[in-house]
Amino acid sequence: MSEPIPVSRAVDHGTAKLMPDVDRDRAWLLTVDGAPQSYVDLDEPEHLEFEYARRLGHALDVAAEPGGALDVLHLGGGALTLPRYVAATRPGSRQDVIEADRGLLDLVTEHLPLPPGSGITPHAADARAWLEAAPADSADVVLADVFGGSRVPAHLTSLDYAREAERVLRPHGLYLANLADAAPFTFLRSQLANFTALFEHLALIAEPAVLRGRRFGNAVLLASHTPLNTPALTRRTAADAFPARVEEGDMLKKFIGAARPIADPDAVPSPEPPAGAFGIG
């Protein structure tokens, strides 16, 4: 049996590479212009390699009763890691995945095909445009993991965008986002301010070193109109191979401080990561 070989292709927004993992059969790393984007194990879709993906997975696990099907809208596709995870852990879920880079989507679906009956439907479209056209109260979860290169695009960082996400979610729904920042957290605070203006319950998952401002890193935002299952989430994230902390309530209000929601005209992309922040060896 021949060994899998790397695949490289020019896509709409750079050069994408699929590289096989020598330690796991049928597992692949996706990079775009050298920056890691996704990791997928086709034989074990429940395996989440990246720290931020594991934290999003924990949030999805406690979003509803274990194993219960969900209607999920994914903004950002990558290698479809989290849609595959939901399909494996919550059979019968219906999932739409919105990816702006059609070339990337074609590469992933060609070389890392979805299993039959997965309930996952990929779409080549702009995340904000799709969200604005989506029916109200149509999703149990909206999961945003959109990076143009290594930055969240500005049109996905405003209060106007957050309001569209809130409209699409059902009353019990959960908004999740993968964000990245460093001290003094101007971007992250503004994102929290946007969602605090619309949702009663917020939480943030991040590594303590990131929250203490020691390095640039990812933070997972959760927002809902109904109380979050933070005790279960805290247990899962603390026991993870990459431990993280869950912040909510007064601690989160203190973190937000004087930050205010940002309207479309003033919205900016997330900050550029420092060199090597998310690189691979």
Side-chain angles (χ1 to χ4, degrees), residues 180-232:
D181 201 0
F185 300 111
T186 302
F187 171 74
L188 185 55
R189 294 180 203 273
S190 73
Q191 297 311 291
L192 290 165
N194 287 343
F195 285 88
T196 297
L198 299 170
F199 292 90
E200 294 85 351
H201 302 277
L202 266 71
L204 192 70
I205 311 172
E207 188 179 330
V210 172
L211 290 176
R212 286 197 288 265
R214 293 181 180 174
R215 67 175 182 84
F216 190 96
N218 293 91
V220 170
L221 166 66
L222 298 83
S224 178
H225 287 301
T226 58
L228 300 165
N229 190 354
T230 48

Side-chain angles (χ1 to χ4, degrees), residues 82-242:
L82 286 161
R84 297 175 203 262
Y85 178 83
V86 172
T89 58
R90 297 182 175 277
S93 294
R94 295 184 300 176
Q95 303 184 80
D96 288 299
V97 184
I98 316 307
E99 171 57 58
D101 193 321
R102 181 180 294 275
L104 179 62
L105 197 58
D106 289 344
L107 173 68
V108 167
T109 54
E110 176 185 343
H111 289 277
L112 309 178
L114 292 165
S118 67
I120 300 168
T121 307
H123 308 269
D126 176 77
R128 175 77 178 263
W130 185 278
L131 193 65
E132 290 175 347
D137 301 332
S138 59
D140 298 308
V141 178
V142 172
L143 195 162
D145 186 14
V146 185
F147 284 80
S150 55
R151 306 177 75 182
V152 181
H155 69 303
L156 304 179
T157 69
S158 69
L159 177 63
D160 307 81
Y161 157 78
R163 189 173 287 115
E164 288 299 322
E166 192 271 343
R167 181 187 63 82
V168 169
L169 281 168
R170 293 174 178 141
H172 63 272
L174 174 66
Y175 178 84
L176 294 172
N178 175 34
L179 305 169
D181 201 0
F185 300 111
T186 302
F187 171 74
L188 185 55
R189 294 180 203 273
S190 73
Q191 297 311 291
L192 290 165
N194 287 343
F195 285 88
T196 297
L198 299 170
F199 292 90
E200 294 85 351
H201 302 277
L202 266 71
L204 192 70
I205 311 172
E207 188 179 330
V210 172
L211 290 176
R212 286 197 288 265
R214 293 181 180 174
R215 67 175 182 84
F216 190 96
N218 293 91
V220 170
L221 166 66
L222 298 83
S224 178
H225 287 301
T226 58
L228 300 165
N229 190 354
T230 48
L233 187 60
T234 298
R235 288 193 296 271
R236 287 172 179 266
T237 55
D240 193 273
F242 305 100

